[in-house]
């Protein structure tokens, strides 16, 4: 039955291991290190001066409302480059109920061929 | 016999009977008062949960337990000496317990969520009735030891989920998704029934253990296997039969989607049970008598691996170009299903024959196969929790803003702080970032797959990274960015929904920090129950082998 | 749906009792002859549907409330599960046939061969058939009433 | 050969139903196709239980010597029970699909499955 001793055991994955507690400790140490390093930084930063303004090649900063990127525009470059693949995927997803059934039949036929060939061996 | 033993003995039947009774009592109870009805539904599901806990304790301690409906013996011996297995039988081993625990967790949290989410809707008595019957059918699928009973529960689950997907009747898209879902799943269920007829014609039995004991893998059995596998993987959402899944997940009310995930996993459980127990001679046997079936098992394993890889890739890529929040999560759910099937495929493909000289001496599984199976089973529960949490967050955003399109959202993190935190945790968990639960199971899958074929692992890892990218996109466009004028008045969602999401988050963190607690106590026994199909047969039909 | 001609209405008036009686017969003899709760319920419900077809669908909404029909449907289902629970309580197993061969009423051991339609040989099966019959009559009738309601709505729109 | 005719009918019905589902545009025709598949499967189950020269598996009309030569003289009752259950489920699915189609017609104004594609890609 339930063995609570296994809480602290390490998960063995054949060739490796995974222990979240060690990971958490190391992550905490890393954050501590970052904090320490950060505290060595320069203390010249002042709010509400020119330092806080972003530099857009000398152009004026846009309004906040216009700075927003829409959800469908994120990863625009990636989607544009992989357009051929996405076009194929879009073609497959017709949204037609008959096609859904057709795919079921196709998979069934494919499995029939595979299993009958190898099962007869 | 004291009362505790009595309850344990009858709990397999009661687990199905209590939600069913509650489901049909709900229309009558809701004539009194809404609050009474809500309490009633919650209490009935809690009773089911307690029964499941009792049964789980017993099964994990003492092994397989069976329950015969109508009492008496399952075996009738005719004067001529023929033995017939009559009566419907429920059998419970660790795998069943594992699935049932998932289902009841999802059901209770889903009900708690819908108490606040659906408060303003009409027709709630029918809603709760159908939800309870859906839970009943899911539990029934996961507990039954009879193929035809499985089919009946499959159809009930199909009908009830269709009715729930179309719950928002005023939306045309919801009706469309429901119709597509019921068309494909009723056809798949009919194929399942056809396969069942084939098996019945051969072995004169519908009991899974009896058929598993007698199975020959003749050409008719192969046909039955293909029909059943195709039907059940369709129900689980394997590419290219996945297209109903984003439709229906996206259009159903989010609280329903959360429970629908459990119903989908029940189809997956059916595939597990059919592959590993019903056709255990083919896929699980290490008996030299079945040496000619090694190639078949490996081929089916490779086919499943290939389909799983395609599933992962298509799921992730399609999620990348979605603009609807819930539909996007639906496609990532498809990708997650692919990871589960990857584990099954690796397990099946890892069977080999040991030769000494020219003669075969033994059949064996490679060492990584058990890790693949463990990872696959562990990933079921992680998938349910992570994807479910994201759907709940999507529902919370819909509740607060009445928007599902990502293009129209933005800057919601200012007003919905808790929801944002929950979303970040769900995002990290679903994309397999340490130290959350998705990482542990995915690591097991990666390591075992790497020993089968490194390229597959690379693809799977890349897809997992893309999954993170997809959710970063969602996070950026929905929660970050400047404040929107129209969302100034948006408030945090009610406490009930926060409690539901918080409960899922707590489970995710516990599973993430102590993966061995889950693996040693639930996952490993479930994997053992699946692989030891002879134990299953001998416990369910004693005296036959 | 509009009203049909007088001939149809009169004929349906005449045949309605016979259809109902036949349906109830099929329900009651479900454990002895082909049929049972569902089949008999479907027959009886088709008798009710015949009335809707013959008399048009508008009058039915005043006479019958769908909520009441669905309450009956729940009652039928509850009866079925209730009998199963009684089996658990009195017989020791869920769905146990605890009435068969007990008491004065059911103490008849069914024989193989021609038993001359002994009605009370099957224990709880007739009870379950009745429960299913009530559920099916109410359910099928409710489906048709709702569909008729929806179609008449469309007519009003046009 | 003569005993194979029901099985040929089964296969024919399943393929006719699949044809209707895959290639017909009208939603009602698709539903009819599903019903035909279901009838085919039911016919298959019934045919499995058929026994040449057997009697109906009803207690009251059994011949008096049924006990001596059981189980050979009665038709198998299990497939018939399966078929009855399957018919009941079929009725529920049919009613649900038809009511969905009614609602869809109100929203989309058409019954063409190829125009019912708001959910694609």
């Amino acid at each position: 039955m339930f063995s609570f001793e296994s809480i602290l055991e390490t998960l063995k994955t054949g060739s490796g291991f995974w222990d979240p507690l060690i990971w958490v400790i190391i992550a905490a140490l890393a954050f501590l290190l970052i904090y320490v390093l950060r505290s060595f930084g320069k203390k010249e930063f002042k709010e509400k001066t020119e330092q806080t303004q972003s530099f857009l090649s000398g152009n004026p900063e846009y309004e906040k409302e216009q700075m927003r990127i829409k959800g469908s525009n994120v990863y625009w470059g990636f989607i544009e480059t992989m357009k051929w693949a996405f076009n194929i995927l879009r073609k497959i997803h017709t949204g037609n109920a008959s096609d859904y059934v057709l795919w079921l039949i196709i998979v069934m036929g494919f499995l029939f061929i595979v299993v009958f060939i190898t099962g007869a061996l | 016999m004291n009362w505790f033993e009595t309850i344990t003995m009858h709990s397999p039947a009661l687990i199905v009977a209590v939600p069913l009774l509650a489901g049909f009592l709900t229309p009558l109870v809701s004539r009194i008062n809404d609050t009474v009805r809500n309490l009633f539904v919650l209490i009935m599901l809690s009773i089911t949960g307690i029964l499941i806990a009792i049964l789980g304790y017993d099964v994990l301690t003492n092994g397989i337990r069976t329950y015969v409906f109508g009492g008496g013996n399952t075996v009738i011996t005719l004067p001529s000496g023929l033995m017939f297995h009559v009566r419907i039988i429920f059998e419970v081993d660790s795998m069943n317990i594992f699935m049932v625990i998932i289902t009841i967790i999802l059901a209770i949290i889903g009900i708690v969520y819908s108490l606040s989410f659906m408060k303003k809707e009409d027709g709630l008595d029918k809603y709760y009735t159908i939800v309870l019957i859906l839970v009943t059918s899911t539990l029934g699928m996961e507990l039954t030891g009879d193929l035809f009973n499985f089919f009946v529960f499959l159809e009930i689950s199909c009908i009830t989920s269709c009715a729930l997907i179309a719950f928002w009747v005023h939306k045309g898209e919801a009706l469309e998704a429901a119709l597509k879902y019921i068309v494909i799943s009723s056809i798949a269920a009919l194929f399942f029934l056809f396969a069942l007829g084939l098996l019945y014609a051969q072995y004169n039995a519908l009991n899974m253990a009896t058929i598993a004991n007698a199975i020959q893998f003749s050409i008719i059995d192969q046909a039955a296997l293909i029909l059943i596998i195709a039907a059940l993987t369709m129900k689980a959402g394997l590419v290219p039969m996945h297209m109903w899944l984003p439709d229906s997940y996206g259009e159903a009310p989010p609280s329903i989607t959360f429970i629908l995930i459990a119903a989908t996993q029940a189809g997956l459980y059916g595939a597990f049970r059919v592959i590993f127990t019903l056709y255990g001679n083919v896929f699980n046997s290490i008996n030299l008598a079945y040496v000619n079936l090694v190639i078949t098992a490996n081929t089916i394993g490779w086919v499943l691996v290939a389909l799983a890889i395609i599933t992962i890739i298509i799921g992730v890529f399609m999620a990348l170009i979605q603009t609807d929040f819930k539909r996007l999560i639906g496609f990532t759910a498809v990708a997650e299903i692919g990871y589960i099937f990857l584990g099954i495929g690796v397990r099946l493909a890892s069977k080999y024959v040991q030769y000494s000289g020219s003669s075969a001496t033994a059949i064996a599984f490679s060492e990584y196969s058990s890790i693949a199976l463990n990872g696959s089973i562990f990933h079921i529960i992680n998938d349910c929790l992570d994807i479910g949490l994201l759907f709940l967050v999507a529902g919370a955003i819909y509740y607060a803003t009445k928007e599902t399109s990502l293009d129209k959202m933005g800057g919601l993190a200012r007003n919905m702080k808790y929801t944002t935190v929950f979303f970040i945790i769900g995002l990290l968990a679903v994309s397999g970032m340490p130290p959350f639960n998705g990482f542990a199971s995915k690591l097991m899958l990666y390591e075992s797959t790497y020993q089968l074929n490194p390229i597959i692992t690379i693809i799977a890892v890349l897809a997992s990274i893309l999954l993170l990218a997809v959710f970063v996109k969602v996070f950026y466009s929905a929660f970050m960015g400047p404040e929107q004028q129209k969302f100034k008045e948006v408030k945090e969602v009610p406490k009930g929904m926060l409690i539901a999401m918080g409960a899922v988050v707590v489970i995710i963190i516990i599973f993430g920090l102590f993966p061995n607690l889950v693996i040693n106590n639930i996952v490993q026994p479930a994997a053992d129950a699946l692989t030891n199909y002879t134990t299953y047969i001998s416990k369910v039909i004693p005296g036959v082998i | 749906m509009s009203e049909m001609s007088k001939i149809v209405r009169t004929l349906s008036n005449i045949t309605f009792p016979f259809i109902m009686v036949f349906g109830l017969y099929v329900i009651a003899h479900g454990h002895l002859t082909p049929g049972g709760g569902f089949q008999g319920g479907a027959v009886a419900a088709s008798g009710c549907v015949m009335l809707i077809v013959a008399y048009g669908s508008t009058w039915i909404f005043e006479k019958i409330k769908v909520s009441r029909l669905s309450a009956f449907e729940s009652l039928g289902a509850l009866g079925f599960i209730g009998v199963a629970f009684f089996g658990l309580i009195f017989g020791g197993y869920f769905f146990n046939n605890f009435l068969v061969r007990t008491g004065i009423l059911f103490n008849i051991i069914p024989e193989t061969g021609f038993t001359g339609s002994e009605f009370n040989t099957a224990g709880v099966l007739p009870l379950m058939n009745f429960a299913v019959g009530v559920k099916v009559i109410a359910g099928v009738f409710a489906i048709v009433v709702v569909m008729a309601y929806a179609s008449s709505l469309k007519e009003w729109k046009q | 050969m003569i005993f194979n005719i029901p099985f040929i009918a089964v296969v024919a019905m399943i393929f006719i139903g699949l044809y209707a589902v895959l290639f017909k545009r009208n939603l009602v025709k698709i539903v009819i196709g599903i019903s035909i598949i279901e009838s085919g499967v039911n016919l298959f189950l019934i045919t499995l239980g058929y026994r040449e020269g057997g009697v109906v598996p009803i207690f009251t009309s059994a011949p008096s010597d049924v006990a001596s030569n059981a189980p050979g003289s009665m038709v198998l009752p299990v497939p018939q029970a399966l078929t009855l259950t399957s018919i009941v489920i079929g009725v529920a699915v049919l009613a649900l699909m038809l009511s969905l189609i009614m609602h869809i017609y109100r929203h989309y104004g058409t019954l063409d499955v190829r125009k019912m594609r708001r959910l694609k890609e």
Side-chain angles (χ1 to χ4, degrees):
Chain A
M1 205 23 226
F2 257 74
S3 60
F4 284 101
E5 310 88 63
S6 62
I7 282 181
L8 294 177
E9 269 177 34
T10 309
L11 171 61
K12 297 269 196 309
T13 55
S15 50
F17 73 97
W18 161 238
D19 197 331
L21 297 179
I22 296 175
W23 189 91
V24 167
I25 292 167
I26 291 176
L29 285 179
F31 274 112
L32 197 69
L33 188 69
I34 291 167
Y35 183 76
V36 168
L37 284 179
R38 192 176 177 278
S39 65
F40 289 136
K42 289 188 176 181
K43 296 187 176 61
E44 293 164 0
F45 182 82
K46 290 184 189 68
E47 288 203 10
K48 295 187 179 167
T49 55
E50 273 200 344
Q51 284 177 325
T52 58
Q53 283 183 354
S54 52
F55 180 69
L56 296 169
S57 313
N59 296 323
E61 198 178 342
Y62 292 109
E63 286 293 313
K64 281 263 159 112
E65 283 276 311
Q66 291 174 321
M67 294 283 281
R68 177 169 161 266
I69 300 173
K70 278 186 180 176
S72 48
N73 294 342
V74 184
Y75 304 136
W76 175 82
F78 182 79
I79 293 170
E80 195 67 19
T81 322
M82 301 286 282
K83 210 167 188 179
W84 55 275
F86 286 116
N87 280 341
I88 294 171
L89 288 180
R90 281 203 172 105
K91 250 179 215 164
I92 293 173
H93 291 78
T94 50
N96 187 338
S98 303
D99 290 351
Y100 291 16
V101 181
L102 186 62
W103 280 113
L104 177 68
I105 308 294
I106 288 174
V107 169
M108 228 176 249
F110 174 66
L111 283 174
F112 261 112
I113 293 167
V114 168
V115 172
F116 281 170
I117 288 174
T118 59
L121 285 175
Chain B
M1 196 188 282
N2 60 3
W3 62 272
F4 189 77
E5 270 179 43
T6 317
I7 288 181
T8 316
M9 188 184 140
H10 291 294
S11 54
L14 288 177
I15 286 170
V16 177
V18 168
L20 190 61
L21 185 72
F24 288 117
L25 273 176
T26 309
L28 302 179
V29 171
S30 62
R31 297 196 164 206
I32 306 171
N33 194 343
D34 277 6
T35 324
V36 174
R37 177 200 61 210
N38 294 348
L39 270 180
F40 174 77
V41 172
L42 212 53
I43 288 173
M44 280 305 194
L45 274 182
S46 314
I47 291 174
T48 317
I50 293 168
L51 286 170
I52 286 173
I54 293 171
L55 181 67
Y57 179 83
D58 182 72
V59 167
L60 291 176
T61 330
N62 302 330
I64 297 174
R65 181 172 273 279
T66 58
Y67 189 85
V68 185
F69 279 89
N73 207 345
T74 51
V75 181
I76 283 183
T77 314
L78 292 175
S80 54
L82 266 176
M83 275 164 57
F84 273 112
H85 293 279
V86 291
R87 296 187 196 281
I88 290 168
I89 189 171
F90 268 22
E91 60 76 34
V92 195
D93 64 10
S94 314
M95 183 66 193
N96 302 67
I97 280 298
F98 176 76
M99 295 307 296
V100 162
I101 287 173
I102 293 177
T103 309
I104 200 70
I105 288 175
L106 291 189
I108 290 178
I109 292 176
I111 289 287
V112 170
Y113 186 84
S114 42
L115 288 186
S116 0
F117 183 79
M118 304 294 284
K119 212 173 198 171
K120 292 165 192 163
E121 305 277 341
D122 288 341
L124 279 184
D125 52 337
K126 293 186 183 60
Y127 173 87
Y128 285 115
T129 307
I130 306 176
V131 165
L132 282 169
I133 299 174
L134 175 62
V135 172
T136 309
S137 64
T138 313
L139 292 173
M141 273 165 84
E142 287 158 0
L143 285 178
T144 187
D146 185 280
L147 270 181
F148 189 74
N149 210 1
F150 187 89
F151 163 76
V152 171
F153 282 123
L154 184 76
E155 283 276 23
I156 296 174
S157 137
C158 168
I159 292 168
T160 46
S161 16
C162 170
L164 285 172
I165 290 164
F167 186 73
W168 282 339
V169 184
H170 56 274
K171 282 167 68 182
E173 287 88 354
L175 296 167
E176 183 187 332
L179 187 86
K180 285 173 178 172
Y181 174 70
I182 197 162
V183 163
I184 187 164
S185 54
S186 61
I187 288 177
L190 286 174
F191 280 121
F192 186 91
L193 184 62
F194 190 79
L196 196 152
L198 290 175
L199 286 176
Y200 183 78
Q202 290 235 299
Y203 304 112
N204 253 337
L206 292 168
N207 192 324
M208 283 193 207
T210 318
I211 298 176
N213 186 33
I215 205 124
Q216 300 293 324
F217 212 60
S218 64
I219 200 146
I220 294 180
D221 292 347
Q222 294 171 16
L225 172 75
I226 292 156
L227 293 173
I228 292 178
I229 290 286
L232 290 178
T233 48
M234 191 290 301
K235 187 86 175 133
L238 194 70
V239 166
M241 305 167 283
H242 67 289
M243 294 161 189
W244 62 270
L245 198 141
D247 290 359
S248 45
Y249 277 21
E251 295 307 323
S255 51
I256 291 307
T257 313
F258 194 65
I259 303 173
L260 269 186
I261 294 173
T264 315
Q265 307 294 339
L268 193 65
Y269 158 77
F272 268 97
R273 186 53 88 196
V274 166
I275 290 175
F276 289 108
T277 304
L278 199 62
Y279 284 80
N281 272 348
V282 186
F283 297 116
N284 246 333
S285 170
I286 46 173
N287 191 345
L288 261 187
Y290 300 104
V291 69
N292 57 332
L293 294 177
V294 170
I295 296 175
T296 314
N298 275 348
T299 322
I300 293 180
W302 276 103
V303 168
L304 273 182
V305 167
L307 284 178
I309 283 295
I310 298 172
T311 307
I312 294 171
I313 293 171
I314 289 190
V316 168
F317 269 61
M318 286 304 291
L320 202 60
I321 54 171
Q322 297 303 314
T323 51
D324 187 285
F325 197 166
K326 277 152 69 188
R327 204 169 157 74
L328 185 146
I329 306 172
F331 273 108
T332 55
V334 172
E336 292 283 300
I337 293 288
Y339 282 100
I340 300 170
F341 273 104
L342 189 62
I344 308 178
V346 171
R347 161 78 189 185
L348 297 183
S350 67
K351 204 170 165 184
Y352 65 97
V353 187
Q354 290 174 338
Y355 289 99
S356 70
S358 62
S359 59
T361 54
I363 296 179
F365 285 106
S366 306
E367 279 176 27
Y368 54 82
S369 70
S370 64
I371 295 164
L373 192 59
N374 278 0
S376 167
I377 293 172
F378 191 23
H379 203 72
I380 294 178
I381 193 164
N382 292 343
D383 166 42
C384 287
L385 292 170
D386 302 349
I387 295 288
L389 175 64
L390 290 172
F391 271 117
L392 292 188
V393 170
I397 290 175
Y398 178 78
Y399 185 87
T401 65
K402 302 288 171 209
E403 282 292 345
T404 54
S405 171
L406 286 174
D407 287 350
K408 292 172 187 164
M409 293 178 191
L412 289 172
R414 286 180 176 77
N415 296 328
M416 304 173 74
K417 294 192 174 58
Y418 293 108
T419 314
T420 315
V421 172
F422 293 152
F423 182 77
I424 293 173
I425 290 172
L427 175 161
L428 294 174
V430 84
S431 48
M433 296 289 281
F436 294 102
N437 58 358
F439 179 73
S441 52
K442 278 188 181 171
L443 184 72
M444 291 164 90
L445 288 173
Y446 296 153
E447 295 227 356
S448 51
T449 317
Y450 188 80
Q451 296 175 48
L452 186 75
N453 193 335
I455 297 169
I456 297 170
T457 319
I458 293 167
I459 296 173
V461 174
L462 282 178
S464 191
I465 295 168
L466 268 180
L467 208 58
L468 180 66
V470 168
F471 281 111
V472 167
K473 163 189 156 181
V474 175
F475 181 64
Y476 179 80
S477 53
F479 291 100
M480 308 294 272
E483 194 169 14
Q484 298 281 303
Q485 200 63 40
K486 57 184 173 185
F487 294 143
K488 276 228 166 95
E489 303 297 317
V490 166
K491 287 200 192 78
E492 186 61 271
V493 288
K495 278 209 182 73
M497 293 160 77
L498 286 180
I499 289 171
M501 289 189 275
V504 183
V505 164
V506 167
I507 300 174
I508 284 177
I509 289 176
I510 291 175
F511 281 14
L513 288 184
F514 311 112
N516 259 50
L517 185 71
V518 189
I519 288 173
N520 286 358
N521 290 319
I522 318 178
V523 174
Q524 187 66 48
D528 289 344
L530 277 181
T531 46
N532 295 336
Y533 72 106
T534 47
T535 322
Y536 178 96
I537 296 169
S538 60
K539 281 276 173 59
V540 177
I541 41 171
V544 177
I545 53 170
Chain C
M1 273 185 283
S2 54
E3 208 178 39
M4 291 181 83
S5 69
K6 190 154 192 177
I7 301 171
V8 178
R9 273 180 281 149
T10 316
L11 272 179
S12 66
N13 268 350
I14 295 169
T15 46
F16 177 69
F18 292 104
I19 294 177
M20 291 308 276
V21 167
F22 179 67
L24 292 178
Y25 159 78
V26 172
I27 294 176
H29 285 249
H31 54 294
L32 296 171
T33 56
F38 177 77
Q39 288 76 16
V43 170
S46 67
C48 303
V49 171
M50 185 184 70
L51 284 190
I52 300 183
V53 173
Y55 281 88
S57 55
T58 39
W59 64 276
I60 197 88
F61 312 129
E62 298 152 14
K63 297 259 157 117
I64 286 175
K65 282 180 184 161
V66 176
S67 65
R68 204 162 289 165
L69 279 180
S70 48
F72 264 105
E73 200 188 340
S74 311
L75 278 181
L78 279 181
F80 188 82
I81 305 164
V83 171
F85 265 103
F86 281 134
L88 177 63
I89 295 165
F90 297 118
Y93 278 96
F94 204 64
F95 275 113
N96 194 316
N97 198 339
F98 62 97
L99 279 181
V100 74
R101 297 181 201 179
T102 52
I104 308 157
L105 196 56
F106 290 102
N107 198 7
I108 296 167
I109 296 162
E111 296 168 13
T112 9
F114 192 75
T115 52
S117 299
E118 296 278 9
F119 187 69
N120 46 0
T121 47
V124 297
L125 291 188
L127 297 180
M128 286 186 163
N129 271 336
F130 269 111
V132 173
V134 168
K135 181 172 168 53
V136 171
I137 292 176
V140 173
F141 195 34
I143 289 173
V144 176
V145 168
V146 168
M147 280 188 171
Y149 181 66
S151 62
S152 62
L153 262 188
K154 205 164 41 191
E155 279 168 15
W156 292 343
K157 240 186 219 170
Q158 285 168 353
Chain D
M1 180 57 206
I2 193 79
F3 298 113
N4 286 335
I5 285 179
F7 293 106
I8 295 167
V10 165
V11 174
M13 282 175 90
I14 289 179
F15 275 98
I16 290 170
L18 276 181
Y19 168 78
V21 172
L22 292 179
F23 299 111
K24 286 291 168 189
R25 287 183 173 206
N26 195 320
L27 281 176
V28 178
K29 283 182 184 169
I30 287 178
V31 171
I32 292 172
I34 293 174
S35 284
I36 293 175
I37 299 177
E38 192 196 317
S39 315
V41 175
N42 288 342
L43 179 63
F44 176 64
L45 289 176
I46 283 290
T47 318
L48 289 180
Y50 180 71
R51 185 164 279 138
E52 203 192 346
V55 295
V56 216
I58 301 171
F59 241 177
T60 48
S61 60
S64 52
D65 61 336
V66 74
S68 55
N69 51 11
S73 64
M74 274 190 182
V75 173
L76 271 185
V78 177
Q80 301 184 3
L82 303 189
T83 313
L84 283 181
T85 319
S86 154
I87 289 172
V88 173
I89 293 169
V91 168
V93 173
L94 192 67
L96 189 57
M97 278 195 286
L98 287 179
S99 52
L100 276 177
I101 287 174
M102 284 173 73
H103 277 291
I104 283 175
Y105 185 73
R106 196 169 297 158
H107 280 279
Y108 285 68
T110 173
L111 285 179
D112 193 342
V113 73
R114 290 169 211 208
K115 286 182 184 143
M116 202 185 73
R117 284 165 54 181
R118 281 191 209 164
L119 297 169
K120 58 176 185 175
E121 288 170 12

